[in-house]
Amino acid sequence: MSKSLKRVRAALQAAGLPDTTREMPESTRTAAEAAAAAGCEIDQIAKSIIFAGEESGALYLFLTAGGNQVDPAKASAAAGEPLTRADGNAVRKITGFAIGGVAPIGHLTAPKAFLDPRLTEFEQVWAAAGTPRHIFQIAPAEMSRLANATPAEFTA
């Protein structure tokens, strides 16, 4: 079992939540792939999008409904500084996850997080569980709590 998947499972366990992680037979790297694998609507996929602050270099996590796109200007306003694409090596070093498998929880160092309100319209959502083939199911309120995510309008 990968270290990334172990951290996600440990975070769920520490929160007193069931281990809902599942390995899918095919990739769940994109929201469309994950939705097909989980048998849910694309917006029930919680994408973990990471940006870096242009001034601070800090990472920011945007938990976004699968069908939505992050608007860079709105995301920058939420973060309080201009944002740029995060470097894959920095993402892995700080969060412990590779791009394509970034989970909303279980980070080595948790970035400041924001939640797309669209996700709260569902009873359950699915998110990456640390690998390109693992996902887990969680109530949006629990995911937001565990990620310490602030609801914000940052989508296009």
Side-chain angles (χ1 to χ4, degrees):
M1 180 186 315
S2 80
K3 291 178 187 176
S4 298
L5 178 59
K6 284 181 184 177
R7 282 197 318 278
V8 171
R9 286 182 165 166
L12 290 169
Q13 182 180 20
L17 297 174
D19 179 358
T20 57
T21 59
R22 293 190 187 153
E23 182 174 6
M24 297 302 176
E26 296 182 17
S27 172
T28 57
R29 189 177 301 269
T30 69
E33 290 172 348
C40 67
E41 290 183 42
I42 195 163
D43 278 354
Q44 283 180 274
I45 300 301
K47 299 187 294 191
S48 295
I49 309 297
I50 303 272
F51 285 95
E54 285 184 7
E55 297 159 2
S56 69
L59 295 186
Y60 296 92
L61 171 63
F62 291 86
L63 300 172
T64 311
N68 286 347
Q69 297 296 318
V70 175
D71 178 293
K74 290 179 182 178
S76 293
E81 70 173 306
L83 299 177
T84 187
R85 282 188 104 60
D87 173 74
N89 291 329
V91 170
R92 184 185 294 266
K93 181 179 177 184
I94 294 168
T95 70
F97 298 112
I99 292 175
V102 176
I105 61 174
H107 295 218
L108 294 175
T109 303
K112 182 169 175 127
F114 299 93
L115 180 77
D116 179 353
R118 172 73 173 121
L119 292 168
T120 65
E121 296 174 20
F122 300 100
E123 209 172 291
Q124 298 285 312
V125 296
W126 291 89
T131 81
R133 291 183 50 176
H134 286 85
I135 57 177
F136 72 100
Q137 189 175 36
I138 190 167
E142 290 291 344
M143 180 180 66
S144 180
R145 180 179 66 82
L146 295 179
N148 198 26
T150 302
E153 296 292 337
F154 55 82
T155 60

